[in-house]
Amino acid sequence: MCGIVGYVGSKNAQSILLEGLHRLEYRGYDSAGIVTFQDGDACLLRVKGKVAGLDSLVNDSHRDDSIGIGHTRWATHGEPSERNAHPHNVGDIFLVHNGIIENYKDLKSVLETRGYSFVSETDTEVLTALVDSIYQQDKNLFAAVSEALHMVVGAYGIAVVAKDNMDEVVVARSGSPLVIGVGEDETFIASDPSALVGNTDQVIFLKDGEVAKCTRDGVTVKDSADQAVEPIVETIEMDIQAMQKKGFDHFLVKEIFDQPESLSATLAGRVVKDQDLLRLGGLNMSEEELRAVKHIFIVACGTASYASMIASYYIERFADDVVIDTVVASELRYRSFNVPENSLAIFVSQSGETADTIACLKEMKQRGVRCLGVVNAVGSTIAREVDGGIYIHAGAEISVASTKGFTSQVVALVLFGLVMAQAKGMSIEDVRPYIDELDALPEEIAAVLDTKNEEVKQLAADYSHYEHAFYIGRDVLYPLALEGALKLKETSYIHVEGQPAGELKHGSIALIDDRFFEVAFVMDNELFEKSMSNIIEVQARGGHVIVVTNSSREIEAERVVRIESRLKMFTPLLFNIVSQLFAYYVAVNKGNDVDQPRNLAKSVTVE
Ligand code: F6R
């Protein structure tokens, strides 16, 4: 949510900043801006809308400045506009900011009495003025930023420059990620390591409370008590290929088609079929500790929470002495919940930076609960703060709507459940069917992509004109319906609700008429007949029903998408491929911005 970039070196800062912003645009795309400067002369370029708007401004301005900062915004305070776009400038100071300054109104009143006036509605402009007011005393930028931050309440990742200081970019973080890339005679700054790919693989992940001075020669870091800290430089592996569309029209469809490969990466070395083996290296839990677990909180937001729900339905089947609470992070954190003895908390997050999930992690740690992460982004805040966990290794997910991350999250959680259940005594005979199916899953997904793509494309063409829809399912297909509904609503802007199939008649069915279509997931199992009854009830009220099923039985519905698979347990993950493709093609048919849907941003770093 919002992207920050910065550079100090000898190369052209404008082009480095622009390239970084293009890479980070998936984090926010309401407005964008950069500032570069030389000898007190600053060039500030800002636009409402996407980073592409900056490209032509940069072409016109032709600067060869070698220091600057930039930002792409997801609006919190103040509407998306050029005036509210970052960098903000007050006096000598230019500043970009992710997060929220909660006490900005109090600070603003004090600054107004000192003669500052404000042109934007943002909390960021207030922070910029605060830094300037201190900077003017002795022109020490590092000290001014540190002092200003002692007066701030809130969350921030910031990068700050002073136009009369050609040598320094000062950065700081508290609750919002910031990474420094160390190059030869140059230093890069970004809110996300993906912006650094191609420039350097040597990075310093700033910790909460730290402030750093970045120069051409290196980086100086101090902590919140103003004590010098020796920065730890790490090598990150990032694949530039994963950040390209590889011939697809959009990242969303590329990432849907990535899934056979990304899921294989999740499984690699963890499911070893020919040795009947499951192993997870990073849990940092002994067999005895796994055996002792009696209660699991799985904490996540959005799609990650639906992945968690689905996994919990599976885990409950084989770990029957464990109670699982799957909770949405933004709710859990304000509940006065009890933590039973022998509890474990698992935090599921593609980005590893979701603010509500991080807040819950902090709360659980404070209460002494062992915390695990199921995370995609290596080195992210959640990955660094947990006691152990599982990297899903799905590769960079650029499209705002999560697809391959979801599939790998479900599988990683099920893997954890199986490893725990084995420690509790689940026999290899009982585990083997899971190993077989998990091992086969990437190929089965590839087969669905291969055989169903054209059919779903046509289906989407036929249903794109509807304005309302329900997704329904029973058992594990219920959270799958929630995920299908979310994917369709966020990409297509159709009003979609996910419901347990059996719940519809307890109220929501009142809405059904022929303006609705309904996607019903139906497994060929003991719930088949009951699911069919729910479908008939909808059709009787004029609703148009699309059934997605692995059954070959006769089904009366407007459309039936049949998935042929030898899988029995993980067929729902194949149904979900249909949901993902359907959401993609409906969004394309409607001419929507598929990878960057309106009002959204990847990685929600505000609460
Ligand atoms: C929907 C989507 C979001 C995220 C949610 C959590 O397609 O992507 O609902 O799943 O914002 O994000 P992470 O997994 O990064 O914590």
Side-chain angles (χ1 to χ4, degrees), residues 278-572:
L278 286 179
R279 71 177 157 221
L280 287 173
L283 296 180
N284 301 332
M285 286 179 81
S286 65
E287 278 210 8
E288 204 180 334
E289 286 167 333
L290 284 166
R291 221 174 358 258
V293 173
K294 288 279 182 277
H295 193 113
I296 304 178
F297 293 94
I298 313 185
V299 186
C301 299
T303 282
S305 78
Y306 300 144
S308 307
M309 270 173 90
I310 290 174
S312 71
Y313 275 68
Y314 285 108
I315 298 170
E316 278 165 355
R317 290 177 189 167
F318 49 75
D320 51 13
D321 69 331
V322 178
V323 174
I324 307 178
D325 263 340
T326 307
V327 275
V328 167
S330 55
E331 282 301 310
L332 180 72
R333 53 173 315 204
Y334 300 108
R335 263 169 52 187
S336 52
F337 58 95
N338 296 321
V339 178
E341 251 183 67
N342 297 320
S343 282
L344 173 75
I346 306 180
F347 299 86
V348 185
S349 175
Q350 189 285 127
S351 64
E353 299 294 352
T354 301
D356 284 311
T357 312
I358 293 171
C360 292
L361 167 58
K362 286 186 178 149
E363 168 80 23
M364 286 290 187
K365 280 178 82 168
Q366 240 171 29
R367 294 203 193 189
V369 181
R370 181 189 289 272
C371 295
L372 299 182
V374 170
V375 173
N376 195 28
V378 176
S380 56
T381 304
I382 293 176
R384 302 166 79 79
E385 298 280 320
V386 287
D387 302 309
I390 310 171
Y391 273 124
I392 63 172
H393 296 310
E397 197 181 61
I398 307 288
S399 186
V400 165
S402 180
T403 51
K404 61 178 179 175
F406 168 85
T407 303
S408 289
Q409 284 164 347
V410 174
V411 167
L413 284 165
V414 171
L415 272 176
F416 169 77
L418 287 167
V419 168
M420 178 185 66
Q422 275 194 305
K424 287 172 178 287
M426 187 179 184
S427 71
I428 190 61
E429 284 68 36
D430 289 340
V431 173
R432 196 170 290 128
Y434 287 95
I435 293 185
D436 285 350
E437 289 216 359
L438 288 171
D439 181 68
L441 197 49
E443 255 181 49
E444 295 277 338
I445 290 176
V448 174
L449 288 167
D450 197 33
T451 57
K452 293 291 152 187
N453 185 39
E454 285 306 316
E455 182 182 340
V456 178
K457 194 175 185 175
Q458 185 54 53
L459 195 70
D462 297 342
Y463 287 84
S464 293
H465 63 283
Y466 282 89
E467 284 174 17
H468 307 278
F470 273 115
Y471 274 57
I472 61 166
R474 285 174 176 268
D475 190 53
V476 75
L477 299 176
Y478 158 52
L480 196 83
L482 295 177
E483 167 57 9
L486 178 62
K487 212 82 320 161
L488 183 61
K489 81 177 87 166
E490 68 181 331
T491 56
S492 71
Y493 317 146
I494 293 175
H495 161 229
V496 197
E497 291 184 41
Q499 290 259 325
E503 254 317 273
L504 216 54
K505 57 184 167 297
H506 295 287
S508 305
I509 202 166
L511 288 170
I512 299 278
D513 58 25
D514 69 354
R515 295 168 309 142
F516 272 78
F517 73 90
E518 188 190 63
V519 177
F521 298 114
V522 182
M523 288 276 277
D524 198 356
N525 60 15
E526 68 285 358
L527 294 173
F528 180 86
E529 298 297 348
K530 286 209 161 48
S531 303
M532 288 320 296
S533 308
N534 301 135
I535 290 165
I536 291 163
E537 287 154 13
V538 169
Q539 295 192 136
R541 282 145 186 99
H544 305 266
V545 178
I546 302 166
V547 173
V548 181
T549 183
N550 60 342
S551 177
S552 51
R553 296 192 229 184
E554 197 175 316
I555 292 175
E556 270 186 42
E558 202 165 279
R559 301 290 274 271
V560 181
V561 180
R562 293 192 196 267
I563 302 293
E564 283 173 28
S565 162
R566 68 177 183 79
L567 300 186
K568 293 199 165 55
M569 292 174 291
F570 293 113
T571 333

Side-chain angles (χ1 to χ4, degrees), residues 155-231:
Y156 52 81
I158 56 170
V160 195
V161 289
K163 69 179 179 193
D164 52 359
N165 180 342
M166 295 258 299
D167 299 320
E168 290 172 21
V169 180
V170 174
V171 297
R173 77 160 272 177
S174 178
S176 199
L178 224 281
V179 56
I180 301 168
V182 184
E184 201 139 300
D185 301 326
E186 57 186 354
T187 303
F188 303 83
I189 291 118
S191 51
D192 177 332
S194 63
L196 303 177
V197 176
N199 289 321
T200 179
D201 60 358
Q202 300 297 298
V203 300
I204 299 165
F205 288 99
L206 217 57
K207 297 197 185 78
D208 270 352
E210 289 181 344
V211 186
K213 178 168 78 174
C214 306
T215 68
R216 291 173 182 83
D217 305 325
V219 181
T220 311
V221 182
K222 54 185 179 175
D223 63 17
S224 53
D226 287 332
Q227 297 300 307
V229 176
E230 193 54 47

Side-chain angles (χ1 to χ4, degrees), residues 42-64:
C43 173
L44 174 64
L45 306 172
R46 298 189 296 183
V47 287
K48 180 180 172 191
K50 297 202 166 197
V51 177
L54 278 180
D55 292 342
S56 53
L57 292 184
V58 165
N59 278 342
D60 296 344
S61 74
H62 288 308
R63 303 272 298 203
D64 54 7

Side-chain angles (χ1 to χ4, degrees), residues 103-209:
N103 60 336
Y104 80 103
K105 285 193 178 143
D106 297 340
L107 295 169
K108 193 173 185 175
S109 312
V110 174
L111 288 161
E112 276 165 347
T113 63
R114 291 190 204 154
Y116 281 96
S117 57
F118 297 90
V119 293
S120 80
E121 297 131 46
T122 65
D123 50 344
T124 305
E125 191 185 10
V126 175
L127 179 58
T128 314
L130 182 63
V131 174
D132 184 68
S133 69
I134 303 166
Y135 180 71
Q136 294 309 336
Q137 291 162 23
D138 56 10
K139 298 267 174 175
N140 181 335
L141 186 62
F142 197 21
V145 172
S146 307
E147 194 179 325
L149 292 176
H150 285 307
M151 299 158 77
V152 155
V153 179
Y156 52 81
I158 56 170
V160 195
V161 289
K163 69 179 179 193
D164 52 359
N165 180 342
M166 295 258 299
D167 299 320
E168 290 172 21
V169 180
V170 174
V171 297
R173 77 160 272 177
S174 178
S176 199
L178 224 281
V179 56
I180 301 168
V182 184
E184 201 139 300
D185 301 326
E186 57 186 354
T187 303
F188 303 83
I189 291 118
S191 51
D192 177 332
S194 63
L196 303 177
V197 176
N199 289 321
T200 179
D201 60 358
Q202 300 297 298
V203 300
I204 299 165
F205 288 99
L206 217 57
K207 297 197 185 78
D208 270 352

